[in-house]
Amino acid sequence: MTGRLVLVRHGQSYGNVERRLDTRPPGAELTDLGRDQARSFARGLSRPAAMVVHSVARRAEQTAAEIAGELRLDTHHFEGIHEVQVGELENRNDDAAIEQFEATYQRWHEGELGLAMPGGETGEQVLDRYLPVLTQLRLRYLDDHEFHGDIVVVSHGAAIRLAAAVLAGVDSSFALDHHLANTESVVLAPITDGRWSCVQWGALTPPFYPEPDVHPVEDALQSADPMG
């Protein structure tokens, strides 16, 4: 069996309930629903998991603990796979802040990775810290023929979508139009020459067609959970 990376967004947090741009670790804790979501995710896995890792954020650590408890595995934390850092927009939940975040995030997916969140990260900086962790997991575990099973990586919606789209060549309009709800995942399978194939995005499987008419800013303003 060839192992895969299952990049799962954390369970519902109090920051999500309050619609806040909660990105700076440690951040908000999980709600009771968030813990239930994590356990349900673990019980719903279709393939064996061999390892559970998580970002330094509290909500990711708690999600990983619930998943690992169901799977009877240990958890491991990794630096670098936390959420996009929004700088001056941190902890805001007003429409103006959400609009600015989503507009910048959209431009990253459209190729302007050098653009920064106000007082926060550029898309390049996010990828520069995030992608090496996934490469490390691949080289150390997935490429080892003695290692069997998937690696569950508990991370964050915006960061997962950006990293997965870049690594697996998923069309930017598709990534922008398909947010991840709490404990939804993107699954990446290693293929030849260090490349990756995206074999699942939320409830969808390939092919992932371009979306002809995307409105991520407007969608986020109408959403109860703009960070997914």
Side-chain angles (χ1 to χ4, degrees):
M1 179 187 298
T2 301
R4 311 170 305 172
L5 294 183
V6 181
L7 307 177
V8 57
R9 187 185 176 208
H10 58 82
Q12 184 193 68
S13 73
Y14 286 102
N16 296 150
V17 172
E18 296 162 5
R19 201 166 173 258
R20 288 188 286 111
L21 299 176
D22 173 26
T23 70
R24 186 181 301 124
E29 296 189 352
L30 291 185
T31 64
D32 289 343
L33 174 59
R35 294 180 183 276
D36 289 342
Q37 289 170 333
R39 292 190 290 269
S40 294
F41 171 83
R43 292 192 292 267
L45 286 171
S46 60
R47 291 168 43 126
M51 188 175 181
V52 179
V53 309
H54 60 85
S55 82
V56 296
R58 183 180 289 119
R59 58 196 179 279
E61 180 180 6
Q62 292 173 337
T63 301
E66 298 291 350
I67 293 171
E70 290 287 327
L71 301 178
R72 299 185 179 181
L73 295 171
D74 294 328
T75 63
H76 308 267
H77 92 270
F78 280 75
E79 303 283 342
I81 55 173
H82 49 282
E83 183 58 289
V84 171
Q85 297 298 286
V86 298
E88 297 167 11
L89 306 179
E90 183 70 20
N91 273 325
R92 288 175 56 181
N93 64 357
D94 56 284
D95 284 355
I98 292 168
E99 182 176 0
Q100 191 165 11
F101 167 75
E102 290 291 344
T104 303
Y105 187 70
Q106 178 177 359
R107 289 172 68 179
W108 288 358
H109 278 276
E110 293 171 348
E112 296 182 63
L113 289 167
L115 186 67
M117 296 287 171
E121 289 184 298
T122 67
E124 290 172 346
Q125 288 172 324
V126 175
L127 294 173
D128 284 349
R129 62 169 167 81
Y130 202 105
L131 299 188
V133 178
L134 304 189
T135 299
Q136 177 185 354
L137 291 171
R138 175 175 184 159
L139 294 175
R140 185 172 179 182
Y141 299 105
L142 299 183
D143 287 351
D144 182 351
H145 296 300
E146 300 299 317
F147 184 87
H148 301 284
D150 290 346
I151 301 176
V152 174
V153 180
V154 184
S155 185
H156 307 266
I160 289 173
R161 288 193 289 140
L162 181 65
V166 169
L167 277 184
V170 175
D171 186 85
S172 62
S173 64
F174 178 92
L176 285 168
D177 203 44
H178 291 86
H179 286 236
L180 296 174
N182 293 116
T183 65
E184 280 197 318
S185 63
V186 173
V187 181
L188 300 179
I191 54 178
T192 58
D193 301 325
R195 295 177 296 125
W196 297 88
S197 174
C198 183
V199 297
Q200 182 177 329
W201 188 294
L204 302 176
T205 55
F208 304 118
Y209 293 112
E211 297 290 347
D213 190 27
V214 297
H215 303 283
V217 175
E218 292 86 344
D219 292 346
L221 290 174
Q222 296 172 15
S223 173
D225 181 19
M227 284 302 295

